[in-house]
Amino acid sequence: MTIKETQDELISDFSFMENWMDKYEHIIQLGKELPLIDEKYKTPDNLIKGCQSQVWLHTELKDGKLYFTADSDAVITKGLVSLMVSVFSGHTPKEIAESEIYFIDAIGLSNHLSPTRSNGLLSMLKQIKIYALAYQAKSQSQTNGKEL
Amino acid sequence: MQHVPDITVPALDVEKIRRDFPLLQEKVYGIPLVYLDNAATTQKPQIVLDTLEYYYTRINSNVHRGVHHLSQEATNAYEQARKTIAAFLNANKPEEVIFTKGTTDGINLVANSFGRGFIKPGDVVLVSAMEHHSNIVPWQIMCEDRGAELKVIPMDQNGELIMDEFTALLNDKVKIIAVTYVSNALGTVNPVHDIIAQAHARNIPVLLDAAQAVQHMPVDVQELDIDFLVFSGHKIYGPTGIGILYGKEEWLNKLPPYQGGGDMIKTVTFAKTTYNVLPYKFEAGTPNMSGAVGLEAAIKYLQEIGIENIRQWEEQLVDYTISRLKELDGIRFIGNPKHRSGAVSFLVDNIHPYDLGELLDKQGVAIRTGHHCAEPVMDFFHIPGTVRASFAMYTNFEDIDRLVAATQKAAAMLR
């Protein structure tokens, strides 16, 4: 699935839920499906800044694609991280860097989450994009290096 | 679920009181609001809103300046507010009541002026382990500036001050003690009479942070024999941006001014300025006049209900909250003080307070989560924060029942 298709699917899933308690139930459930970060990667470097609760994110490049593992000490946060990871994991740095992210607004998360949480979500989005750009730049310089 | 608690209901008609507060009639997410974040700020009764409107539509003008009619009216209203508040605190004179922006502003005033007037290198300032950041940081800044040392009265696992250690900390180096009357994070009511008596035996003045006290219990500055006492208007049903510093006249006269500007001066030349008398010496610039009359209206409203009635009512609310929350599996109270007022802090299992708070919010229950501007308290208990339910005169038993039911539901989802 493309990043766009995953987002559309998430939006559709959430649209069937009538109230916010149901949506939270779903978010908490998604948290349980989050690919957990290896304990050894729970380092200060992998902590996302700007989150009230602690969020660790680890990025790995395999066969030209980025895979994310993460964890948080708060359950709802973990669910939100899981949403993010499911959208981005398994895509190339270029796809991630160039993607347009609209599911957060479409689901209504930006309006309904507490400001500290939605800021945290935006910090995470920013961090994932920065990782993607960094990997993209790295692979470009390697390619350029070969050409020389 | 309507509980009929086994209590003696005092002379306080809570349903009538609730009708006086427009915001309590609101719904959030389509659900009637349960407002249990009163330690952060209280809602305002209609009379306070009407007074603010009256001030701006009928008498607004700058005080202590103009000879014109309106200026005189505004001055009278402002000074009348000071008298009402002085009587509320049982101050000896209205001049001992200084209008500030709030508790934080009042503490900054005293820390700054006291520091410049009385603190030398090597001196000691005492605060307690359960202070709000507002009663730590101004003293830290002053101590750094004056080369003095900030020492901390420790507390125990119940969230009570260890009084033997307090006594042991007292010596001739200690120049001022700043403690909270009631802990905002734990609800602990501190033994302030004992603290003041021991301090005065050594001629050490005491500042009381009464931000979480004046709205919950009778406070009499002469009976306490307190040197400085501060509180915020917005936590006692008044407007935001207004607060009170009470100071004994002899202390306020001895302290150098805090901020300079209009109204606080007697004469100004480029060579030398002489300062105005109390209380104006500490009220530089155009004061918050509407705030002062709004706060007066709030205090008169509270006096009509009766602070002793409020104290008794809220005591029952606190007891009921604790007994109902105890029904929940995994409940953990943060702070178990013998004397408690206004607030109950808790956690459920290892559920993150932010998770709990967010799901309570979505069920229409407004509580505070986090460190409550008291990070040292959270560090002491090794927790990221707490969920805090805090009460007001308009809180009823149904509010508590909804809190407990919502907490139960949230905990079940988060486990």
Side-chain angles (χ1 to χ4, degrees):
Chain A
M1 251 194 293
T2 65
I3 290 176
K4 187 175 181 309
E5 283 164 354
T6 312
Q7 292 192 77
D8 291 340
E9 192 179 78
L10 282 173
I11 294 165
S12 143
D13 285 350
F14 274 93
S15 71
F16 291 113
M17 290 159 219
E18 280 180 14
N19 64 54
W20 271 92
M21 288 305 274
D22 291 344
K23 290 181 192 189
Y24 273 95
E25 195 109 49
H26 189 56
I27 291 169
I28 292 163
Q29 195 51 43
L30 289 170
K32 292 174 182 157
E33 295 162 15
L34 172 70
L36 281 183
I37 189 170
D38 197 313
E39 284 296 320
K40 71 178 174 201
Y41 294 127
K42 282 193 176 177
T43 59
D45 277 354
N46 282 333
L47 263 179
I48 306 263
K49 288 169 192 70
C51 294
Q52 284 279 346
S53 43
Q54 293 190 296
V55 177
W56 296 268
L57 181 73
H58 176 64
T59 318
E60 208 175 340
L61 186 70
K62 249 191 305 190
D63 304 327
K65 289 173 179 167
L66 285 179
Y67 292 88
F68 300 94
T69 53
D71 201 3
S72 171
D73 56 346
V75 175
I76 293 172
T77 310
K78 210 166 146 179
L80 297 170
V81 174
S82 184
L83 277 175
M84 208 62 115
V85 166
S86 71
V87 169
F88 289 114
S89 233
H91 293 281
T92 65
K94 187 172 185 291
E95 285 166 349
I96 294 172
E98 290 172 359
S99 64
E100 189 205 334
I101 297 304
Y102 50 86
F103 79 98
I104 299 173
D105 282 339
I107 291 174
L109 291 174
S110 28
N111 285 334
H112 275 85
L113 290 177
S114 62
T116 51
R117 277 223 213 263
S118 56
N119 287 341
L121 204 57
L122 293 177
S123 301
M124 191 161 69
L125 177 61
K126 209 167 113 190
Q127 193 60 48
I128 288 175
K129 289 248 180 184
I130 289 169
Y131 278 140
L133 282 169
Y135 276 107
Q136 203 182 358
K138 208 163 121 187
S139 71
Q140 269 170 3
S141 72
Q142 277 168 355
T143 323
N144 293 345
K146 273 175 202 161
E147 281 170 358
L148 279 170
Chain B
M1 178 167 52
Q2 182 70 56
H3 272 258
V4 185
D6 182 21
I7 48 149
T8 348
V9 179
L12 186 150
D13 186 347
V14 71
E15 294 316 312
K16 182 175 174 291
I17 290 171
R18 286 172 85 90
R19 288 195 291 276
D20 291 336
F21 289 78
L23 212 139
L24 294 180
Q25 321 308 322
E26 291 292 307
K27 290 183 172 183
V28 288
Y29 313 112
I31 316 163
L33 169 70
V34 171
Y35 187 77
L36 293 173
D37 195 17
N38 295 288
T41 197
T42 53
Q43 300 307 338
K44 320 303 171 198
Q46 189 63 49
I47 186 70
V48 169
L49 308 176
D50 290 347
T51 302
L52 292 176
E53 195 188 348
Y54 176 82
Y55 178 83
Y56 280 117
T57 50
R58 304 294 291 279
I59 57 174
N60 175 52
S61 189
N62 210 330
V63 293
H64 307 139
R65 287 162 172 81
V67 290
H68 57 81
H69 175 75
L70 276 182
S71 176
Q72 207 47 54
E73 289 261 305
T75 303
N76 289 345
Y78 182 68
E79 291 306 328
Q80 184 53 46
R82 194 190 308 275
K83 283 180 193 151
T84 302
I85 293 155
F88 172 65
L89 296 172
N90 193 29
N92 200 20
K93 294 176 171 180
E95 290 80 359
E96 294 179 319
V97 170
I98 311 289
F99 285 111
T100 64
K101 286 188 284 178
T103 303
T104 303
D105 190 37
I107 297 171
N108 274 281
L109 188 162
V110 177
N112 185 296
S113 291
F114 194 91
R116 281 183 296 123
F118 297 95
I119 300 286
K120 298 181 301 299
D123 284 346
V124 171
V125 173
L126 282 188
V127 295
S128 91
M130 63 177 80
E131 297 309 315
H132 187 285
H133 295 163
S134 294
N135 204 23
I136 301 173
V137 184
W139 302 106
Q140 257 172 348
I141 291 172
M142 182 270 269
C143 284
E144 252 172 58
D145 192 42
R146 311 295 303 174
E149 195 184 348
L150 188 71
K151 287 192 178 175
V152 182
I153 310 160
M155 65 174 165
D156 62 20
Q157 286 297 324
N158 288 328
E160 290 179 326
L161 294 181
I162 306 172
M163 289 303 284
D164 289 347
E165 304 236 12
F166 165 67
T167 307
L169 279 166
L170 293 178
N171 59 43
D172 293 344
K173 296 228 169 216
V174 178
K175 291 295 180 292
I176 189 165
I177 300 166
V179 286
T180 190
Y181 200 149
V182 178
S183 154
N184 74 310
L186 306 169
T188 311
V189 181
N190 283 319
V192 294
H193 288 88
D194 190 11
I195 291 171
I196 295 164
Q198 289 195 47
H200 285 179
R202 289 176 172 272
N203 290 319
I204 305 166
V206 179
L207 176 140
L208 266 193
D209 172 354
Q212 304 292 348
V214 283
Q215 67 278 51
H216 298 306
M217 60 186 76
V219 170
D220 179 329
V221 290
Q222 293 192 66
E223 184 263 333
L224 283 165
D225 195 23
I226 188 66
D227 305 284
F228 303 102
L229 181 140
V230 288
F231 67 91
S232 297
H234 72 97
K235 291 189 203 285
I236 185 166
Y237 313 101
T240 49
I242 187 81
I244 296 296
L245 160 65
Y246 160 83
K248 276 184 188 164
E249 187 182 22
E250 52 164 314
W251 270 116
L252 292 177
N253 275 329
K254 276 193 274 188
L255 294 190
Y258 176 44
Q259 293 178 325
D263 230 20
M264 58 78 72
I265 50 91
K266 197 180 278 167
T267 58
V268 177
T269 67
F270 284 110
K272 174 79 184 163
T273 291
T274 56
Y275 305 119
N276 206 339
V277 294
L278 290 176
Y280 315 114
K281 174 180 151 188
F282 290 108
E283 293 181 357
T286 295
N288 183 353
M289 302 159 304
S290 64
V293 298
L295 176 56
E296 181 192 28
I299 284 175
K300 280 181 158 173
Y301 177 84
L302 177 140
Q303 285 174 318
E304 226 167 88
I305 312 280
I307 187 73
E308 182 52 28
N309 290 332
I310 294 169
R311 189 191 67 76
Q312 287 181 28
W313 174 250
E314 290 178 351
E315 195 170 52
Q316 295 171 94
L317 291 172
V318 167
D319 291 348
Y320 183 66
T321 305
I322 289 173
S323 73
R324 290 264 11 242
L325 282 173
K326 273 184 184 162
E327 294 168 14
L328 303 182
D329 289 337
I331 192 86
R332 191 152 56 106
F333 294 102
I334 309 304
N336 284 299
K338 274 193 276 305
H339 300 286
R340 184 198 281 275
S341 172
V344 176
S345 250
F346 63 93
L347 290 172
V348 183
D349 291 329
N350 291 320
I351 296 171
H352 200 287
Y354 281 108
D355 285 338
L356 210 48
E358 191 134 354
L359 293 186
L360 287 176
D361 169 61
K362 294 298 177 291
Q363 298 174 81
V365 179
I367 44 84
R368 172 88 185 263
T369 57
H371 55 56
H372 317 298
C373 295
E375 281 185 39
V377 176
M378 303 303 129
D379 291 345
F380 176 81
F381 289 105
H382 306 292
I383 49 175
T386 77
V387 175
R388 180 188 67 188
S390 54
F391 314 109
M393 62 163 100
Y394 45 67
T395 307
N396 64 16
F397 289 91
E398 206 185 332
D399 288 336
I400 315 287
D401 289 336
R402 288 223 7 231
L403 165 74
V404 175
T407 305
Q408 196 158 22
K409 183 168 182 185
M413 283 170 69
L414 292 162
R415 275 204 181 97

